[in-house]
Amino acid sequence: MRTTSKAAALLPWRRPGISYVYMAMALVLITSVPALFAREVFGDDWSVYYIYWTQGAAGLGRLLWQAAHAGFAIPMTVFVALLPDAPEVAARLAGLSCHLVNGVLLYSVLSRSPHTRRIGPLVTALFLLSPFYAIRLTQNAVYDFFLLFYLLSYELSYARNRALRWTAPFSLLFSLSLETLIALEPLRIVLTRSTTERWTQTLRRLAPFWLAVATMIVLRLTILGKSGHYVGQYGVKPDFAAISQAFATHIMAFPRGLAYAYTNGFALFGRPVSTVLTLAAVAAFVVFSSRLQTSWLLKSRASTRSMQILLLLGAAITVLGAVPYALAGVYGDVARGESRLLFPAHFGILILMATIMQMISPLRLRTAAAGGVITIFALSMAHDSKWLLYDGLVTGDMQRQVRAALLADPEPKVVKLLVPNSHAILFRSRCLGGNDMNVAQATLRDESRARSFVYADFCGDLTTGAAAHGNCSISYLEFFPCPQRQETWRYRAAPGIPPLRDIGLVELLRAIAKDSPSATEGRGELMQLNDDEPVPLARAEYRPPCGRPGVPGAAWLLALPAPACEDPASVAR
C-alpha cells in the first residue's frame, strides 16, 4: 500500500484541526489518571488473576486458548507479571498508554487519504474521549493493545523499507487475536483506493491483508476454536427474531451511550456547574475557531463525494461490528462489562458523528458543535474515573467484611448478599458476579476450613446460574457442591461511605490510599437478615501464609492492614 501523494506521506502535525488531537490527549490524561489508583478488579478479570495466581502463566495461556483468545495470553500475562501485587494497576497503565498511542496512530492513518483527512482530527478526538467503550481502565486494556497492532498494519504499509512493509500483514494477523477488528477493514479499502489506478492494482495491494484475515477466520474455526469449559459458547443462534433483536439492541446502545455521557458527565459537578462549564467551553471553541478549523464537507464536488464515502464507511463499520455478536444473540451495552462489545462498531459511529458535524456550513457553528460534544465526552470520562474509584472503595470494604464474617463462623454456607442501590454504587451499574465475591475469599481463606460461597442477589447466580442447580463456583471455571446451609446478608455502603455524588474526589483518593486499620473493620454496614430483621455478624481476624500465591495482590485490593500475611512457621490467628 502506497500513499496517494507526497503531502499525505508526511506526518501532518501542523494541519488544520490538529488542535483537537492535542486537546483530547490532554483531557484523556487529566480525566484518566485518578482511576489508575483504584483498588478494583471485576468480572472476568478475577478469573485471569485467580488462574495466574494458582496455575501461573501456563495455566493462563491454557485458559485463554480454551476461550478462543490465545493471543490474549500475551498482554494479560505481561500485565499481571509486571505488578503481581497490584495487578489491575499494570493493566490500567498499559491500557492508557496504548490508548494514547492509538490516538497518534489513528490520526496519522486517517491523514493518508483525501477522503478521511477532512475528518481525521475530529474522529481522533472523539475516539480518545469516547463514552461507548468505557472499560479500558480494566484488564480489557487488551482491546487497545490489539488495536495498536491493527493501526500499525496501516503505518507499516507506508514504510520506505520493503522489509517493514512486508511485516504489515503479520501485524494485522496478530491484531486479529481480537477478531472483531475485521469490521474495520472497509477503512483499508478507502485508504488504499486511488482514482489514478485500476481496481486490479488496488486488489493486488490488499491481497496480503485479506489473506491474513482469511487465515485468522480459518484458525478461529479450527484449532483456535472454543474448547474445554467454553465449548458451545457464543454459537450462532438459528433464530432470526433473536438475531434481529440483538442487532437492534446493539445499535441502540450508541444513542443510549450519548445519553449516558450527557447525564453522568453533568452529574460530576452538578447540573448548574456542568452547564456553565459546557457553555464556557463552547464559547472558547467559537472564539478560537480559526485555530480549530476543519474542512466543510459540502463546499465542492470532491468534498461532497468524500462525505458520501464517509457516511457509507461509517455505516459499514457499524454494521460489521454488530453482526458477529448479533449472530450469537448477544449485544453491546454501555452498562456493565458489555461496553467492550461495542468496541469495533463504535469506530463507525464516531466516523458518522464527525462527518455529520462537518456537514455544518458556518465555521463557528461547526466548531461549537464539536466543542460541545468533546466537553460532554470529557466530563463523562472524568465521571467514569471517579466512579471506578468509588466502586473499588465500596467493593473492597464489602469483601473485607464478608471475609471476616465467613471466618468467624467456619461452617460452610451459601450467602445471598443484598446490595441496595447497587446500580448507583457499582461502576456503570455492572453486575456483581460470583467472581467478584469469591476469588479474593478463596485466595485468602483458611485452607483447613470448608468452602463458603457468596453471591449477589441481582446477577442471576442463585436463580439461573450453576449455583441455582447446586454447583457453586469460585471463578466460573471449577465447580463444587454447594453447601446446604443458606443465609441472607445485606451490605449498605451509606452512611459510612457517602453516595458517589456526595463524596469529593480528594476525599475519595484519600480513602482509597489508606489500608484498613483492621481486617475486620469496615466503613459500610454488613448485617445478616433473619426474617428480614438485621442481626449483627461476628467477625474474626485471620492472616493467610505469606507463601501462598495471590495473597499480596488480594490483600492490596481489599486494603488489608500490613502485614496482611504471616510466616508459615508462625501460628495462624
Side-chain angles (χ1 to χ4, degrees), residues 89-119:
V89 175
R92 293 190 186 102
L93 286 169
L96 181 58
S97 300
C98 289
H99 188 60
L100 291 171
V101 172
N102 286 337
V104 175
L105 291 174
L106 181 61
Y107 177 71
S108 179
V109 165
L110 295 178
S111 298
R112 301 286 182 173
S113 167
H115 299 304
T116 56
R117 188 181 306 144
R118 293 180 171 89
I119 65 168

Side-chain angles (χ1 to χ4, degrees), residues 52 60 72-84 87 90-91 94 139 145:
Y52 182 82
L60 182 55
F72 281 35
I74 296 174
M76 285 187 169
T77 301
V78 171
F79 294 165
V80 181
L82 282 175
L83 291 173
Q139 189 79 334
F145 175 84

Side-chain angles (χ1 to χ4, degrees), residues 139-209:
Q139 189 79 334
N140 283 280
V142 294
Y143 281 50
D144 271 302
F145 175 84
F146 288 116
L147 177 63
L148 188 152
F149 285 90
Y150 182 83
L151 294 175
L152 275 178
S153 75
Y154 289 90
E155 283 298 296
L156 292 170
S157 310
Y158 301 111
R160 294 182 180 181
N161 184 284
R162 178 177 294 181
L164 287 177
R165 290 200 300 273
W166 274 105
T167 63
F170 295 98
S171 181
L172 172 63
L173 182 63
F174 178 66
S175 76
L176 294 182
S177 296
L178 178 60
E179 62 272 10
T180 50
L181 286 175
I182 294 173
L184 302 186
E185 281 300 285
L187 176 61
R188 198 180 302 275
I189 300 174
V190 172
L191 294 176
T192 306
R193 178 61 181 155
S194 171
T195 56
T196 62
E197 67 179 12
R198 291 177 299 202
W199 270 103
T200 53
Q201 295 174 292
T202 303
L203 293 174
R204 191 180 305 119
R205 293 209 304 275
L206 288 171
F209 299 97

Side-chain angles (χ1 to χ4, degrees), residues 457-474:
D457 67 311
F458 52 90
C459 288
D461 290 293
L462 294 175
T463 54
T464 59
H469 301 93
N471 298 309
C472 287
S473 170
I474 295 172

Side-chain angles (χ1 to χ4, degrees), residues 332-370:
D333 196 339
V334 294
R336 298 187 282 183
E338 281 72 11
S339 79
R340 72 188 190 278
L341 305 185
L342 300 174
F343 186 72
H346 93 300
F347 281 92
I349 294 295
L350 298 179
I351 289 173
L352 291 174
M353 289 179 63
T355 302
I356 291 171
M357 279 191 277
Q358 291 187 207
M359 289 167 59
I360 301 173
S361 175
L363 172 61
R364 294 181 185 276
L365 185 58
R366 189 163 68 245
T367 308

